[in-house]
Amino acid sequence: QVQLVESGGGSVQAGGSLRLSCAVFGYISSTDCMGWFRQAPGKEREGVANINSDGSTRYADTVKGRFTISQDNAKNILYLQMNSLKPEDTAMYYCAVQTRLPRLCLLRTADVGYYGQGTQVTVSS
């Protein structure tokens, strides 16, 4: 069983920064794709960024150039550095393991096998 535990969320003003962390417990295949998804009130959950087993990354257009995903394989931790935050980034952020079609590593909720419990990010104007 896989358990994902997020931390690092909070409230910041527009233009500020936050770094989210996700501690991974349990077995993760070396080919699995890991990522961050978010869901704002009244909206569908969407992909933010993910990272493939070869280190390649993919970002949603809305966060390109502002967010950076990375991982510490030795410590089994996934990070999301968020800079130049905007009010529209306000959402619950979820760490995820994409177990379906991991080698493609597309930002699709349909490919997610596991989510964490989420961490709230609130950006005020």
Side-chain angles (χ1 to χ4, degrees):
Q1 187 67 21
V2 173
Q3 185 180 10
L4 308 172
V5 181
E6 302 98 332
S7 60
S11 297
V12 296
Q13 290 191 327
S17 299
L18 285 172
R19 187 175 82 155
L20 306 183
S21 299
C22 171
V24 181
F25 300 94
Y27 174 73
I28 299 291
S29 169
S30 61
T31 59
D32 277 342
C33 165
M34 299 211 49
W36 291 92
F37 289 72
R38 68 185 181 186
Q39 188 166 18
K43 295 188 177 181
E44 293 187 352
R45 192 168 297 189
E46 63 178 3
V48 175
N50 62 17
I51 184 166
N52 210 335
S53 55
D54 64 2
S56 59
T57 57
R58 188 185 301 269
Y59 295 91
D61 288 342
T62 52
V63 306
K64 279 181 182 177
R66 300 188 297 121
F67 291 10
T68 303
I69 188 171
S70 61
Q71 60 185 15
D72 183 332
N73 289 325
K75 297 181 179 180
N76 278 358
I77 301 177
L78 183 72
Y79 299 102
L80 184 68
Q81 178 65 44
M82 305 186 296
N83 298 328
S84 301
L85 282 162
K86 304 176 180 180
E88 51 263 44
D89 294 319
T90 295
M92 186 71 80
Y93 283 70
Y94 297 91
C95 178
V97 180
Q98 297 183 232
T99 55
R100 186 173 182 273
L101 303 177
R103 294 191 185 275
L104 293 180
C105 205
L106 302 176
L107 274 173
R108 301 189 307 195
T109 56
D111 295 343
V112 175
Y114 302 97
Y115 282 112
Q117 83 287 352
T119 186
Q120 177 68 36
V121 171
T122 302
V123 185
S124 58
S125 57

